[in-house]
Amino acid sequence: MTQRLSAHFTLAEMTFSATASRKGIPNVAPAEIVDQLILTADRMEKVRELLGGEPIRVLSGYRSPAVNKAVGGSATSAHRTGHAVDFVCPDFGTPAQVAAHLAKHLTGYDQIIEEFGNWVHVGFGPGQRGQKLTARSVNGRTVYTPGIAQ
């Protein structure tokens, strides 16, 4: 049976990782992380509402330490604690359009990052910095610039 974390998000989708699947790396969230994922899924319901109720496709939620390493994630990534989600919402618009809309209307977040023109990262970590960033690859390195590129 599928464990539902909220009306529109399941544990399976909030722990999905294409890299983990491709490389055969387990990505099982411990109980305390599942508790956090329930809170994050609730926040993602608000994101979905702000995007007109359009379906959200989660690309990455929780990442185990091994998965985080495999994707080249930061050791302090909010994905490791279940506080962050990378997603797309194609029925609403491009990642840049989604990120720009959320940057104007979402409250109580740590980061909104439009990443590489391919997805949106939203973090609900305890920092609540309200950062709005754009990430691009420059000479093989990720460079973050303030604001959401349009």
Side-chain angles (χ1 to χ4, degrees):
M1 182 165 163
T2 301
Q3 183 176 348
R4 190 154 291 286
L5 300 178
S6 69
H8 296 98
F9 299 96
T10 65
L11 180 60
E13 91 186 295
M14 294 293 280
T15 58
F16 173 77
S17 164
T19 299
S21 296
R22 188 173 58 254
K23 295 188 173 201
I25 304 170
N27 196 43
V28 178
E32 65 274 9
I33 300 292
V34 173
D35 290 343
Q36 178 55 52
L37 286 172
I38 291 168
L39 298 173
T40 299
D42 185 57
R43 297 301 314 275
M44 289 302 293
E45 292 292 345
K46 178 65 175 172
V47 168
R48 191 176 193 274
E49 180 184 311
L50 289 171
L51 298 175
E54 298 295 350
I56 286 174
R57 185 163 51 101
V58 175
L59 304 176
S60 180
Y62 168 72
R63 292 183 196 148
S64 69
V67 171
N68 194 60
K69 183 177 180 182
V71 301
S74 162
T76 60
S77 171
H79 287 280
R80 293 205 37 211
T81 59
H83 285 93
V85 179
D86 294 343
F87 71 96
V88 293
C89 186
D91 291 345
F92 183 86
T94 66
Q97 291 167 327
V98 169
H101 187 76
L102 292 178
K104 288 180 187 171
H105 301 287
L106 186 64
T107 59
Y109 62 90
D110 188 43
Q111 293 181 313
I112 296 171
I113 308 172
E114 188 273 321
E115 296 195 85
F116 314 106
N118 295 322
W119 65 82
V120 176
H121 166 98
V122 63
F124 300 108
Q128 302 292 300
R129 295 172 287 179
Q131 288 185 325
K132 300 169 186 88
L133 303 168
T134 298
R136 294 292 182 264
S137 182
V138 178
N139 298 322
R141 297 186 53 122
T142 301
V143 175
Y144 295 92
T145 55
I148 304 297
Q150 294 271 331

